[in-house]
């Protein structure tokens, strides 16, 4: 798959096509998304990247950072991460370590498909990803098992993780189900 040679901010059709490619890959790796939620066109914002819900919570969209406006690898990296959140856009104050770790792992997983390399540099995301990768089979296969139990990643509890992965120690289960605290951005 090739990234366009335009500027993402000036290519809404290319951005929209990338969004649907990433959704297709995410569904293949992690299972189907919640189809009751409409996915809308990605946008750019000063405080991105984030997944945003619509005001009445019947839809969601990816908000990319200003850094992604003119660089496709950044747009793809950020959008891949946020695409995991689009699978089940649960309304909460903050996600858990599990969902953020799976999202970070997915953002690395798609990079070879698009021919770029970009590391996860924020310590909070790297920590969440390392924790999710410690699940049996790794972050993406385990994420598929969890979502296959009819639970959004962000709603997984320590108890559910214990039932699905009986060999996983209680401390790791508690951390995975615990609240994610993002590093402050300068």
């Amino acid at each position: 798959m090739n990234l366009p040679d335009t500027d993402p901010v000036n290519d809404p059709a290319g951005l929209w096509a990338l969004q649907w490619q990433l959704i297709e890959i995410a569904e293949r790796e992690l299972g189907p998304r919640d189809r009751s939620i409409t996915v809308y066109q990605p946008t750019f914002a000063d405080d991105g990247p984030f997944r945003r819900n619509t005001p009445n919570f019947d839809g969601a969209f990816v908000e990319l950072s200003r850094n992604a406006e003119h660089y496709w690898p950044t747009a793809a990296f950020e959008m891949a991460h946020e695409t995991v959140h689009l699978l089940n856009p649960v309304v909460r104050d903050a996600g858990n370590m599990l969902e953020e770790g799976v999202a970070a792992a997915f953002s690395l997983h798609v990079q070879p498909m698009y021919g770029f390399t970009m590391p996860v540099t924020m310590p909070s995301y790297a920590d969440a990803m390392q924790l999710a990768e410690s699940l049996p089979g790794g972050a993406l296969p385990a994420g598929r098992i969890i979502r296959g139990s009819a639970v959004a990643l962000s709603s997984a509890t320590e108890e559910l993780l214990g039932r699905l992965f009986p060999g996983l120690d209680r401390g790791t289960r508690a951390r995975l189900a615990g609240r994610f605290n993002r590093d402050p951005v300068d």
Side-chain angles (χ1 to χ4, degrees), residues 39-182:
V39 176
Y40 291 100
Q41 176 79 27
T43 63
F44 297 90
D46 291 337
D47 63 346
F50 286 104
R51 184 258 319 150
R52 297 283 186 205
N53 291 318
T54 57
N56 60 359
F57 303 106
D58 66 346
F61 59 97
V62 170
E63 229 174 34
L64 299 170
S65 74
R66 297 289 178 201
N67 293 332
E69 287 181 321
H70 302 286
Y71 191 58
W72 278 105
T74 299
F77 177 77
E78 292 178 0
M79 194 181 304
H81 180 104
E82 300 307 327
T83 295
V84 171
H85 301 310
L86 286 178
L87 296 175
N88 296 98
V90 177
V91 180
R92 290 172 49 134
D93 290 341
N96 62 12
M97 292 287 283
L98 172 66
E99 184 167 338
E100 293 299 340
V102 170
F106 183 72
S107 71
L108 294 182
H109 174 74
V110 302
Q111 291 181 30
M113 298 174 203
Y114 291 97
F116 72 93
T117 302
M118 195 169 286
V120 174
T121 57
M122 288 182 78
S124 57
Y125 289 99
D127 182 43
M129 183 175 64
Q130 182 179 16
L131 198 57
E133 288 291 2
S134 75
L135 286 162
L140 299 183
R144 184 176 187 83
I145 290 167
I146 295 162
R147 291 190 71 249
S149 69
V151 173
L153 294 172
S154 61
S155 299
T157 64
E158 179 186 339
E159 294 75 26
L160 173 71
L161 294 174
R163 283 195 308 275
L164 294 175
F165 308 107
L168 193 63
D169 70 270
R170 186 181 188 119
T172 301
R173 293 190 324 251
R175 284 194 65 214
L176 283 163
R179 181 184 173 125
F180 176 78
N181 294 307
R182 181 180 179 178

Side-chain angles (χ1 to χ4, degrees), residues 3-66:
L3 294 171
D5 40 349
T6 57
D7 277 346
V9 71
N10 296 321
D11 188 356
L15 203 58
W16 194 227
L18 176 61
Q19 177 65 88
W20 284 103
Q21 286 175 359
L22 291 169
I23 288 171
E24 182 180 303
I25 297 165
E27 287 185 314
R28 193 170 52 239
E29 296 295 330
L30 296 165
R33 68 182 179 86
D34 178 350
R35 296 224 180 335
S36 70
I37 303 295
T38 301
V39 176
Y40 291 100
Q41 176 79 27
T43 63
F44 297 90
D46 291 337
D47 63 346
F50 286 104
R51 184 258 319 150
R52 297 283 186 205
N53 291 318
T54 57
N56 60 359
F57 303 106
D58 66 346
F61 59 97
V62 170
E63 229 174 34
L64 299 170
S65 74
R66 297 289 178 201

